[in-house]
Amino acid sequence: MKRFMNTMYALNVFLQAFWSLLFPIGAGIFFGWLLTERGGMGNYVFVILIVLGVAAGLVSMIRFLISALSGLERLEKEQNNKNDFQK
C-alpha cells in the first residue's frame, strides 16, 4: 500500500508541476492572440506575451517543485522520527 501511495504522490506532483507550467503559457498565447486579432495590436505583442508566459510558467513550476520537495522531506523526517519513537 505504501508503494501505491508513493506512486500516487509522485503522479500528483508531476501533474501539478505540468499544469503550473502549461497554464501561464496557454494564457499568454490566448491573450496574445486576443490582443493581436481582436485588439489590432502588432504581432510583437503576441511574441512578448508568449515569452512572458513561458517565463512565468517556468518560475511557477520551479517554485511548486521546491515547495513539494520540502514538504516531502518534512514528511519523511516526521515518519522517521515516528518510527524511531516506536522502537
Side-chain angles (χ1 to χ4, degrees):
M1 183 68 169
K2 185 176 180 181
R3 184 179 177 133
F4 175 75
M5 293 305 290
N6 288 341
T7 304
M8 293 306 291
Y9 182 78
L11 181 63
N12 180 34
V13 169
F14 173 76
L15 289 175
Q16 284 184 342
F18 181 71
W19 176 254
S20 68
L21 175 66
L22 190 62
F23 183 77
I25 295 172
I29 291 171
F30 174 73
F31 287 116
W33 172 81
L34 195 65
L35 288 173
T36 55
E37 294 296 321
R38 306 286 180 167
M41 295 187 165
N43 288 337
Y44 66 92
V45 173
F46 189 68
V47 173
I48 290 172
L49 287 178
I50 289 175
V51 169
L52 288 176
V54 169
L58 286 172
V59 168
S60 176
M61 182 184 69
I62 290 169
R63 287 181 65 199
F64 170 74
L65 288 174
I66 289 171
S67 69
L69 288 176
S70 67
L72 180 62
E73 288 173 357
R74 187 181 68 244
L75 181 62
E76 287 177 349
K77 190 178 201 182
E78 288 175 4
Q79 287 177 350
N80 288 339
N81 288 341
K82 183 179 176 182
N83 290 340
D84 289 344
F85 182 72
Q86 289 177 353
K87 287 182 181 180

